Amino acid sequence: MPVIHITHKDTPGTEVFWKLTDAQLRNRLHPAEALVVVESPKVIRTALSAGLQPVALLCEERHLSGDAADIVARLGDIPIYTGPRELLADMTGYTLTRGVLCAMRRPTLPTLDDLCAQSRRLVVIDGVCDTTNIGAMFRSAAALGMDGILLTRDSCDAFNRRSIRVSMGTTFLIPWTWVDDPLKDLRQRGFHTVALALRHDSILLDDPRLAAHTRLALIMGTEGDGLPNDVIDGADDVVRIPMARGIDSLNVAAAMAVACYQLRIKS
């Protein structure tokens, strides 16, 4: 495999790591050429094990025979760009986590029908634009037994570099796809919809009737505004988490983790 020692920011072939925007990486016109950028050795290993195809690696020189040595051995014949830490930080605009970035082919998302057909527990992320929250929500959903995630079109991309890193690569482990009309689409596919919101008519999360549903979709909204009123009004149930000390809400990722644990399929 070619190891290319870079000495300046504009080295040809490195554009994917510093120049391309998220929209350009997604490459809607040519989806087969779309890319994701994966950061840190642990997350790169997860992506490789999930079957992602590597395209190029950017790595601090010291990690080629150190933290990333096993990764380098798995990459095949792709370019590996390397240089000192300061140059790579100047190139990318931030200090690399554990000194390694890998550009990979973007995975193909499942269809809504396929994802729903193999799921009993889904999370719907409605309008969440914070990449850190998206990553944390994916990690919780994967860890707590959810079968898949649906994102509305106004949510941020789960394959955003920061979302991938915060999720610790679980964006590649739990199936997800986009959804246009969550309530209608899920009801047509036999799901009981549950909106997490503070409403006078809400029921408590630990109500045993909720976990008894064979197919259930938990709908989560944005950190500040929460879910739109039409989504809350249209859901089969509105649910709140029992809380103490006058506290009425949690961070959206924390709230989702609590709800996923309570509503998971208990085998």
Side-chain angles (χ1 to χ4, degrees):
M1 66 195 73
V3 176
I4 302 165
H5 293 266
I6 60 177
T7 57
H8 56 89
K9 176 178 179 178
D10 298 327
T11 301
T14 64
E15 295 85 358
V16 63
F17 297 110
W18 63 272
K19 189 174 184 179
L20 300 186
T21 65
D22 286 336
Q24 289 170 326
L25 287 170
R26 287 174 68 176
N27 202 343
R28 292 175 188 265
L29 293 179
H30 304 284
E33 299 176 9
L35 300 171
V36 296
V37 177
V38 184
E39 182 180 358
S40 88
K42 183 174 183 178
V43 181
I44 293 169
R45 291 184 191 104
T46 297
L48 289 171
S49 296
L52 271 72
Q53 177 186 351
V55 173
L57 190 79
L58 182 69
C59 182
E60 290 181 30
E61 291 174 332
R62 63 194 178 99
H63 290 312
L64 288 178
S65 57
D67 287 353
D70 64 306
I71 293 172
V72 170
R74 297 173 65 181
L75 293 181
D77 189 23
I78 67 168
I80 297 175
Y81 300 96
T82 186
R85 183 180 182 87
E86 295 75 16
L87 174 60
L88 301 193
D90 179 63
M91 172 187 289
T92 60
Y94 56 90
T95 301
L96 305 188
T97 302
R98 304 298 295 274
V100 190
L101 288 178
C102 190
M104 296 178 158
R105 294 292 179 201
R106 183 184 175 96
T108 301
L109 298 180
T111 66
L112 181 62
D113 280 335
D114 286 346
L115 196 155
C116 288
Q118 62 188 14
S119 300
R120 292 186 293 169
R121 290 292 185 268
L122 292 173
V123 174
V124 179
I125 300 177
D126 190 315
V128 176
C129 298
D130 185 280
T131 55
T132 299
N133 278 335
I134 289 288
M137 294 169 83
F138 265 75
R139 188 175 183 182
S140 292
L144 297 171
M146 298 297 103
D147 297 312
I149 297 176
L150 305 178
L151 279 82
T152 59
R153 301 282 179 178
D154 54 350
S155 296
C156 75
D157 183 12
F159 288 152
N160 170 280
R161 179 191 64 82
R162 184 168 178 80
S163 294
I164 292 170
R165 183 172 68 79
V166 173
S167 81
M168 295 303 295
T170 54
T171 50
F172 305 128
L173 301 181
I174 184 168
W176 71 274
T177 196
W178 302 103
V179 64
D180 293 306
D181 189 339
L183 295 176
K184 177 183 176 183
D185 291 339
L186 287 166
R187 193 164 288 127
Q188 288 176 344
R189 291 163 176 81
F191 280 86
H192 185 88
T193 54
V194 173
L196 200 67
L198 297 173
R199 286 275 286 260
H200 68 280
D201 57 346
S202 61
I203 62 176
L204 294 180
L205 179 64
D206 54 4
D207 188 309
R209 292 172 295 177
L210 292 172
H213 289 286
T214 303
R215 308 186 85 196
L216 184 146
L218 172 67
I219 308 176
M220 305 294 303
T222 62
E223 182 88 22
D225 297 332
L227 288 169
N229 287 329
D230 61 330
V231 174
I232 298 173
D233 292 338
D236 294 315
D237 280 311
V238 183
V239 173
R240 71 182 187 278
I241 298 173
M243 297 191 192
R245 296 182 176 84
I247 299 169
D248 63 0
S249 64
L250 297 171
N251 165 272
V252 63
M256 195 204 76
V258 173
C260 286
Y261 180 80
Q262 179 64 36
L263 299 176
R264 74 195 189 284
I265 298 291
K266 301 176 179 66
S267 56

